Amino acid sequence: MEYVAVRCAAKDCKAMQTVKMVVTGPFAAGKTEFIGSISEIAVVRTERKISDETRAVKAQTTVAMDFGRITIDQDLVLYLFGTPGQRRFDFMWEILSEGMLGFVVMVDAVRPETFREARSILDTFRKYSETPFVVAANKQDHPDAWSPEDMKIALGLDDGIKVLPCIASQKESVKYVLLELLYSILERVQD
Amino acid sequence: MALKGNLRDFSLHQLLNLINLAHKTGALTVKPEKAANSSNGHSAPAALFFREGRLIHAFYEGKPARLTDVLVQVGRLTPEQAQAVRQRSRIDTDKELGLLLIHNGFLSQNDIIQGVRGYLLETVYHLFTWSAGDFRFEPNELPPEERITVPLSLENVILEGNRRQQEWERLLDEIPDLDVSLRFAERPSHIRNISLTREEWQVISFINARNTIRQIGEYLMLDEFQIRRVTHGLKQNGLIELMQSPRAEPAIPKAPLPGVKLSRGVLLRIIDGIRRR
C-alpha cells in the first residue's frame, strides 16, 4: 500500500492516512467544477486568464492543478487533484498521477470536438498507471448533450468501462461518479 | 437528443459505427467545409437516412433525388428514358416511377434495386473523403414517403468506406498538392509491359509544364479522388514525376509507472465517507 503519512505533533494524534484521486480530461470539461462541488475546502486553484484562441470557451483555465479535500474520518483524508486540461501543461500529468488510487476522465458531452482529446488523455493516463478509472459524461442537463451510451461508442471504449452521466455542478452527481470509481477499485482489491 | 459535431473531430467512420452499434433510426446531415479535403465536386450538404442501424436513403441537398435521377446518375438509365417515364408519371413517386420503368421494359425490379443500392453506396463513400464538416444526427427523422428506400448493412459500408478513406489519405500523402505540373520521367528505363487505362491515356495527353494536375482533372471531369488515383498510378509505373512534401514523425509514448494498492478496509471507509456526505 502506498500512501502519505503525516505525523501530528500531539501525542494522541495517529498517523494521518491520505489517498489521492485524479480528475483529468480536456480543457473546459468541468474538472474544476467537479472538485469544487464535493470538496470541503475551497478548491485551491491555480488559474490564469486566457489570452489565446481558447478564450471563447472560458475566461480562465487551470494551469497547474486544482486541489480539493474530503475528510473521511479522523485519520483518513481523500484528496482530489484536477489536472490542467491543455496539452502544453501535460508535463504535470505524470507528476499528478503518481500514487493515485484511480482517476476520473471528465468529458464535456456537449462538445464532441473534445472526444478525441479525451481519448488521448485517457490512453496517456492508462500508460502512467493501471489503476481503475471511470469516464464522466458531463453536462447531462444540457439539451445537446451526447448520452453516455453514445459517448462510449464514440470514444471507442470497451463494454467493461464505466461511462457515467454527470452534472459537475451537482454534489450528488459528483458523489455518484466517485462512488462508482471506488466500487471499481474495490473489485480489484483482495485482502 | 440530436448528435452534433464536426467530422474533423468525429469521423464519418466513427459516426456510422455509432449508428450501427446503437441501431439508431434517424437522419444524418453533413455540411462540407470549403477548405476541407474533399474528393468530389459536391459542395452541398448530404443527408443520410437510417432505420434501426441500416442505411436506407441518401441524397445531396438541392440535387434531384427522384428514382429516375438516381438511376441516370449511376448509368442504369439514359436521360431520354428518364424523361419519357417522368412524362407518363402522374404523382411522381418513386414507386410509380419504378412501376413505369418495369412496365415499359426499361429495367427489371432487380436493376432498380441494384441501381439505388449503387447510388447509396457511392454517396456514402464520397462522404468518407470529407475530412471536415458540421454534422447533425436527428433521431427518428425518415426520408420523404415518396422516395424509395433500400436497407443496407452498415458493417460492409464501414469496411469499404475505411478502405477508400485509407486510399484517399495515401493519395493525399503521395500527391498533397494538385496545383503542380507533371512531367515525364527522365529515365524510364525500367518500364516494361505497362497497360494504361483510358483515363491514364487521357491524362498523359495533357502533360506539359503549363497544365496543373487540378486543371487536367477539371478538364477531364475527374474528381480529386480520381485524378489523384490516375496520377498515382502513372507515377508508380515510373512514367511521370512530381514534387512531394515530407511527413512528420509521431511522438514516442512514455513508459508506464506502477499503480497503487490499498486495503479493502480503507476503501470501504472511503466509500462510507463519501456516501454520508
Side-chain angles (χ1 to χ4, degrees):
Chain A
M1 184 176 73
E2 184 178 328
Y3 59 88
V4 181
V6 182
R7 295 278 174 199
C8 295
K11 284 181 182 176
D12 59 345
C13 184
K14 288 192 284 184
M16 176 70 78
Q17 185 174 347
T18 66
V19 291
K20 170 171 128 183
M21 285 185 181
V22 168
V23 182
T24 187
F27 168 72
K31 302 179 290 293
T32 304
E33 193 167 35
F34 181 91
I35 296 171
S37 294
I38 189 99
S39 174
E40 67 203 15
I41 58 168
V43 175
V44 180
R45 287 175 185 156
T46 314
E47 292 199 324
R48 290 285 181 275
K49 285 185 179 175
I50 298 168
S51 57
D52 57 15
E53 70 280 359
T54 51
R55 184 191 291 275
V57 183
K58 64 177 192 174
Q60 289 195 321
T61 191
T62 311
V63 293
M65 61 179 185
D66 292 322
F67 176 68
R69 188 181 74 192
I70 302 170
T71 302
I72 303 301
D73 51 35
Q74 282 186 330
D75 52 4
L76 182 58
V77 174
L78 171 65
Y79 287 118
L80 294 174
F81 289 83
T83 65
Q86 289 156 307
R87 274 280 174 188
R88 63 177 180 270
F89 303 115
D90 64 1
F91 62 92
M92 290 293 299
W93 295 359
E94 191 167 347
I95 298 166
L96 289 172
S97 68
E98 256 182 289
M100 67 182 171
L101 195 60
F103 61 98
V104 177
V105 183
M106 292 291 295
V107 190
D108 185 340
V110 182
R111 292 169 57 220
E113 64 269 27
T114 66
F115 291 177
R116 190 177 297 167
E117 174 69 358
R119 177 64 206 233
S120 169
I121 292 170
L122 195 162
D123 290 340
T124 303
F125 270 80
R126 286 176 91 175
K127 283 183 192 129
Y128 293 154
S129 170
E130 291 177 357
T131 53
F133 65 94
V134 295
V135 177
N138 193 21
K139 299 186 186 170
Q140 287 299 310
D141 53 341
H142 194 286
D144 285 337
W146 287 45
S147 71
E149 295 77 25
D150 287 344
M151 284 181 63
K152 177 179 274 192
I153 298 170
L155 290 165
L157 300 175
D158 296 337
D159 279 346
I161 295 172
K162 292 177 180 173
V163 181
L164 309 165
C166 177
I167 302 169
S169 57
Q170 295 179 6
K171 186 180 176 183
E172 286 304 313
S173 181
V174 172
K175 276 173 64 179
Y176 164 70
V177 171
L178 289 178
L179 284 169
E180 285 297 323
L181 175 57
L182 285 161
Y183 297 146
S184 294
I185 298 165
L186 192 63
E187 281 175 16
R188 287 216 204 162
V189 172
Q190 291 179 340
D191 276 336
Chain B
M1 65 188 83
L3 301 178
K4 294 192 291 186
N6 192 294
L7 293 181
R8 197 185 298 112
D9 314 303
F10 201 70
S11 69
L12 184 70
H13 159 243
Q14 291 170 305
L15 267 175
L16 295 185
N17 211 26
L18 170 65
I19 291 165
N20 179 43
L21 291 174
H23 300 286
K24 286 186 178 293
T25 296
L28 174 69
T29 52
V30 188
K31 294 177 184 173
E33 283 179 12
K34 275 188 179 177
N37 289 318
S38 166
S39 75
N40 53 54
H42 298 291
S43 56
L48 305 178
F49 295 87
F50 304 87
R51 185 182 286 129
E52 293 175 359
R54 304 183 107 198
L55 178 67
I56 57 168
H57 190 64
F59 62 82
Y60 290 100
E61 285 180 14
K63 195 170 181 179
R66 283 177 300 189
L67 180 62
T68 43
D69 301 313
V70 165
L71 294 172
V72 168
Q73 284 178 59
V74 295
R76 295 255 174 183
L77 205 63
T78 65
E80 293 75 26
Q81 289 171 325
Q83 177 72 11
V85 169
R86 278 201 298 268
Q87 282 173 351
R88 290 175 210 169
S89 171
R90 292 174 188 170
I91 49 176
D92 203 21
T93 64
D94 281 357
K95 189 177 177 184
E96 192 201 10
L97 290 170
L99 286 172
L100 285 169
L101 286 168
I102 294 166
H103 290 155
N104 284 281
F106 290 139
L107 293 172
S108 68
Q109 186 180 6
N110 189 50
D111 289 335
I112 293 171
I113 291 170
Q114 291 307 317
V116 174
R117 188 173 184 278
Y119 177 79
L120 274 182
L121 290 172
E122 283 309 312
T123 304
V124 71
Y125 291 151
H126 269 313
L127 298 191
F128 271 93
T129 63
W130 290 5
S131 55
D134 288 332
F135 68 79
R136 181 184 181 91
F137 182 83
E138 201 61 53
N140 303 319
E141 193 176 310
L142 290 169
E145 280 184 15
E146 64 271 21
R147 298 280 82 91
I148 198 168
T149 59
V150 175
L152 293 179
S153 164
L154 279 180
E155 282 165 17
N156 291 333
V157 171
I158 292 167
L159 281 175
E160 175 60 15
N162 263 355
R163 192 195 66 73
R164 292 201 185 198
Q165 189 178 10
Q166 283 168 10
E167 187 181 3
W168 171 242
E169 285 167 3
R170 186 167 52 82
L171 290 172
L172 278 177
D173 274 352
E174 294 284 339
I175 308 165
D177 187 4
L178 290 182
D179 296 314
V180 294
S181 301
L182 300 171
R183 66 179 181 189
F184 289 104
E186 288 180 8
R187 294 180 183 176
S189 55
H190 61 286
I191 295 173
R192 280 182 194 170
N193 299 327
I194 291 177
S195 312
L196 296 181
T197 64
R198 181 170 162 270
E199 286 171 339
E200 287 171 333
W201 276 117
Q202 285 179 317
V203 171
I204 277 181
S205 67
F206 285 98
I207 291 179
N208 66 50
R210 287 169 300 176
N211 293 337
T212 65
I213 301 173
R214 189 184 305 281
Q215 286 169 330
I216 296 172
E218 285 171 357
Y219 186 80
L220 295 174
M221 296 176 71
L222 299 174
D223 64 36
E224 288 194 14
F225 182 82
Q226 291 169 320
I227 188 64
R228 275 192 165 91
R229 187 150 66 176
V230 172
T231 307
H232 179 64
L234 293 170
K235 187 167 162 278
Q236 287 292 98
N237 285 334
L239 285 169
I240 60 166
E241 292 173 349
L242 72 159
M243 296 290 288
Q244 290 187 39
S245 55
R247 289 182 65 178
E249 291 296 321
I252 301 166
K254 292 177 181 175
L257 290 174
V260 179
K261 291 175 183 172
L262 205 67
S263 78
R264 193 175 180 84
V266 172
L267 267 175
L268 290 171
R269 279 164 62 196
I270 297 171
I271 289 170
D272 191 45
I274 299 275
R275 277 185 188 148
R276 283 188 278 108
R277 290 190 73 81

